[in-house]
Amino acid sequence: MIILRRLYLQATSLSWLILTVSTLVLIAFSTLMLPIIEPSTFTRYTDSLWFTMTTILTVGYGDLYPSTSAGRIFTVVFLYIIGIGLFASFIGKAIESLTLHKKREERGELMYKGQNHIVIIDWSYKAENAIAEILKKDKQIKVVVIDRLEKAKEINTRIHYVRGNATHEIVLRQANVQQAKAVLIFADDRIEDQMLTDGKSLLIATAVERMSPGVYTTVEVEREEHLPSFSHIKVDKFIMSNGTIAKMAVNSIFSEAN
């Protein structure tokens, strides 16, 4: 058992490519060898393939089985010990990869590869309201949220999370802002100084417009006197902070961006 455990751990440490190729080679080798070793039982290659697959999958229907010593030795060595262990390692690797992918998705480490989506900056209560409005208005559109949270508040087939500072181009590229339909830049409620809040929004809007000049950009501004600071960039819609900010921002996209 200790030896088999060590073999299993070594197998699961192999790359996807090596595990896949090894599994396919073993299946092909067994399919070709069984009719040679025991032609009376395995008269066709389809029979040997069926026996190979049911064995390494531990199904074992019992409709086909080796009756000679050579066939049984081959089955024990190549299918029971190597085959089942190799396939178990393959399944273990698959589960491990899916788990890792889910964790990376929750941590916002995966790049969004879709297009015509809406990018929302900062996962605030306003963003949550905006997401609800977007998902209600359009049943197909996807939302990408950029924030610095350790873990996404919500992840599903229509909400993607990207972790990072939205003023950095690498983070915006991870959100695929170049192919986005629109970008909503909400004022950061975590910043108490309104000048700093609008300053951050200005930096983000500048980065967005530099990377994707054609994207429809909506910016929430805390103080009206800060609007002239945005004059050097193309912002499609400015919205002053108030209680209906999320709904107004979403309506601006669907009414003017199309």
Side-chain angles (χ1 to χ4, degrees), residues 25-220:
V25 168
L26 178 66
I27 292 172
F29 178 72
S30 176
T31 301
L32 295 174
M33 288 300 297
L34 283 172
I36 298 174
I37 297 174
E38 195 165 322
S40 59
T41 302
F42 304 100
T43 57
R44 298 174 298 177
Y45 287 120
T46 53
D47 291 337
S48 59
L49 176 61
W50 171 256
F51 173 74
T52 299
M53 295 306 299
T54 55
T55 301
I56 65 174
L57 290 171
T58 66
V59 178
Y61 288 111
D63 52 344
L64 290 172
Y65 54 88
S67 56
T68 65
S69 298
R72 291 172 178 173
I73 292 173
F74 179 88
T75 300
V76 170
V77 174
F78 286 95
L79 297 184
Y80 287 177
I81 297 177
I82 300 177
I84 294 177
L86 188 62
F87 196 77
S89 301
F90 182 85
I91 297 298
K93 192 77 171 181
I95 295 174
E96 178 186 346
S97 297
L98 289 174
T99 303
L100 179 60
H101 182 276
K102 184 66 176 178
K103 288 182 178 179
R104 293 189 63 197
E105 186 179 28
E106 291 177 347
R107 293 196 298 259
E109 298 175 355
L110 299 179
M111 179 177 180
Y112 182 76
K113 299 181 180 180
Q115 56 185 2
N116 294 324
H117 53 291
I118 295 177
V119 178
I120 295 180
I121 309 301
D122 290 332
W123 211 325
S124 61
Y125 77 95
K126 290 174 289 189
E128 294 175 0
N129 292 335
I131 292 172
E133 287 287 328
I134 291 169
L135 300 185
K136 181 173 65 175
K137 285 181 175 291
D138 192 317
K139 302 299 183 182
Q140 302 297 325
I141 201 166
K142 306 293 180 63
V143 177
V144 177
V145 184
I146 300 177
D147 205 327
R148 289 169 293 173
L149 299 172
E150 291 289 336
K151 186 177 179 182
K153 292 184 178 180
E154 180 183 2
I155 289 292
N156 58 50
T157 56
R158 297 183 62 191
I159 301 175
H160 184 91
Y161 176 55
V162 171
R163 184 186 176 197
N165 191 332
T167 61
H168 297 163
E169 286 195 11
I170 188 171
V171 176
L172 294 175
R173 291 187 187 280
Q174 191 173 347
N176 198 12
V177 72
Q178 306 96 307
Q179 296 181 295
K181 175 180 180 179
V183 177
L184 302 183
I185 303 174
F186 289 117
D188 192 341
D189 294 333
R190 293 165 292 192
I191 302 176
E192 295 183 2
D193 191 326
Q194 291 182 333
M195 182 176 295
L196 296 178
T197 301
D198 287 342
K200 177 183 176 181
S201 299
L202 176 60
L203 289 174
I204 297 171
T206 302
V208 169
E209 291 299 327
R210 182 172 59 249
M211 292 181 58
S212 183
V215 69
Y216 188 89
T217 309
T218 301
V219 180
E220 176 193 3

